[in-house]
Amino acid sequence: MSIKFSLVIPTYNEKANLLELYGKLVSVLDSLSFDYEIIIVDDDSPDMTWRIAEDLAKQDKRVKVIRRTQQRGLASAVISGWASSQGEILGVIDADLQHPPEILSDMLRRIFYDNEVDIVIASRYVAGGRVLNQNCWQVIKSRLAILLGRLLIPRIFELVKDPLSGYFILRREIIEVKQLSPIGYKMLLEVLAKCSYKNILEIPFIFTQRKRGRSKASWVQYSLSLLHFVKLRLLGNAWQC
Ligand SMILES: Nc1nc2c(ncn2[C@@H]2O[C@H](COP(=O)(O)OP(=O)(O)O)[C@@H](O)[C@H]2O)c(=O)[nH]1
Ligand SMILES: [Mg+2]
């Protein structure tokens, strides 16, 4: 049978989270009756997350591992994973359990049963979604990013409520001939700005704080995301599709 769904998990120092996420994903995906693959893209994590991923791949043929030693970065890891995938539907989920695997079955049903839907986003900002326990700095940073996004690339920020979400699935065909070259963290923004698509659905989820391991979202990453907004504005891509 051909692979219907390819899910990329970008990892950097996620040793403490990967096995739990894998267990949850498999229990969700096995309840749906199609073939899938899980592609872990690890950037040679010092905590050796890649070794756990490789052990998983030995036990479960649906798991593949890409260990990158020359490249770093969340969005480019997603591109590497998708480039080596086979599924009709592609997706990405963070490894740290801030993205609930349980809603994946609903996301997949929506895209499989409605040909008009090309992208399903797990959204923090539609009714029913929210962010829990953010500290003051996190609130300021995310509000500022949304404000700048609305100013620089208004079409995207009007089109969807959470264009900065890191948890989404899409049809392979919409990215196939596109040159995706995001700066930093925000892969979905790049897709929304550069690809052509029909309908987009947003499904609410509650974004919790990570329990184990540390965030890699540094000020450098944050600044790169703002630079990404500027790049998309200058390219004019945000208005083309
Ligand atoms: N391969 C790879 N994954 C990364 C990199 N930076 C972050 N990640 C992964 O991307 C996901 C989100 O990162 P995280 O640090 O939790 O960002 P935050 O949720 O915005 O704080 C997690 O699964 C990380 O392990 C990177 O440079 N390379
Ligand atoms: Mg996180």
Side-chain angles (χ1 to χ4, degrees):
M1 262 209 315
S2 63
I3 290 177
K4 280 256 186 274
F5 178 51
S6 302
L7 181 65
V8 168
I9 311 174
T11 58
Y12 193 76
N13 287 345
E14 299 291 358
K15 183 170 98 172
N17 294 311
L18 190 57
L19 283 179
E20 184 178 341
L21 175 67
Y22 165 78
K24 289 188 169 179
L25 281 174
V26 166
S27 85
V28 170
L29 292 171
D30 281 353
S31 70
L32 307 166
S33 46
F34 54 76
D35 281 359
Y36 65 87
E37 61 183 354
I38 293 173
I39 302 173
I40 301 163
V41 185
D42 186 80
D43 289 351
D44 209 20
S45 296
D47 77 350
M48 301 206 284
T49 305
W50 47 269
R51 183 165 282 168
I52 296 174
E54 284 171 0
D55 286 345
L56 281 176
K58 277 184 207 141
Q59 297 157 27
D60 182 345
K61 291 288 159 245
R62 298 167 303 186
V63 176
K64 296 175 178 95
V65 183
I66 299 173
R67 180 180 166 195
R68 305 192 308 171
T69 53
Q70 308 294 327
Q71 247 182 312
R72 267 283 316 260
L74 169 49
S76 74
V78 179
I79 292 177
S80 299
W82 285 351
S84 75
S85 71
Q86 298 175 60
E88 280 168 36
I89 307 294
L90 310 178
V92 55
I93 187 169
D94 285 359
D96 55 8
L97 298 156
Q98 289 189 280
H99 294 156
E102 297 75 22
I103 65 167
L104 198 52
S105 47
D106 193 22
M107 292 167 75
L108 284 161
R109 275 193 205 102
R110 304 292 184 107
I111 208 161
F112 278 132
Y113 298 128
D114 187 346
N115 282 332
E116 295 300 303
V117 174
D118 282 331
I119 305 175
V120 181
I121 302 168
S123 171
R124 296 162 289 185
Y125 306 129
V126 289
R130 65 200 162 109
V131 182
L132 288 187
N133 303 327
Q134 269 189 318
N135 66 36
C136 189
W137 271 117
Q138 288 171 319
V139 174
I140 292 171
K141 270 165 62 182
S142 77
R143 293 215 176 138
L144 185 65
I146 291 169
L147 187 72
L148 285 172
R150 284 194 184 132
L151 283 172
L152 289 168
I153 36 178
R155 194 189 70 82
I156 302 296
F157 280 77
E158 277 156 24
L159 188 68
V160 295
K161 293 256 188 287
D162 195 359
L164 305 179
S165 173
Y167 187 16
F168 58 96
I169 62 175
L170 47 76
R171 288 185 201 282
R172 173 190 289 282
E173 65 210 40
I174 72 164
I175 60 153
E176 231 153 25
V177 289
K178 301 291 171 184
Q179 265 299 345
L180 297 176
S181 47
I183 313 174
Y185 254 42
K186 303 300 175 190
M187 188 63 207
L188 176 60
L189 193 64
E190 181 80 0
V191 169
L192 292 172
K194 291 192 175 168
C195 301
S196 308
Y197 35 80
K198 299 188 289 297
N199 293 337
I200 299 173
L201 256 185
E202 289 186 83
I203 295 198
F205 83 105
I206 297 174
F207 188 71
T208 51
Q209 295 299 311
R210 67 155 69 223
K211 294 192 192 76
R212 293 182 294 258
R214 293 174 65 173
S215 169
K216 291 97 214 173
S218 59
W219 280 102
V220 173
Q221 290 301 336
Y222 184 74
S223 312
L224 287 175
S225 291
L226 301 186
L227 201 63
H228 190 196
F229 296 179
V230 175
K231 183 181 164 198
L232 291 176
R233 170 153 196 135
L234 293 177
L235 286 174
N237 281 316
W239 288 270
Q240 279 171 19
C241 35

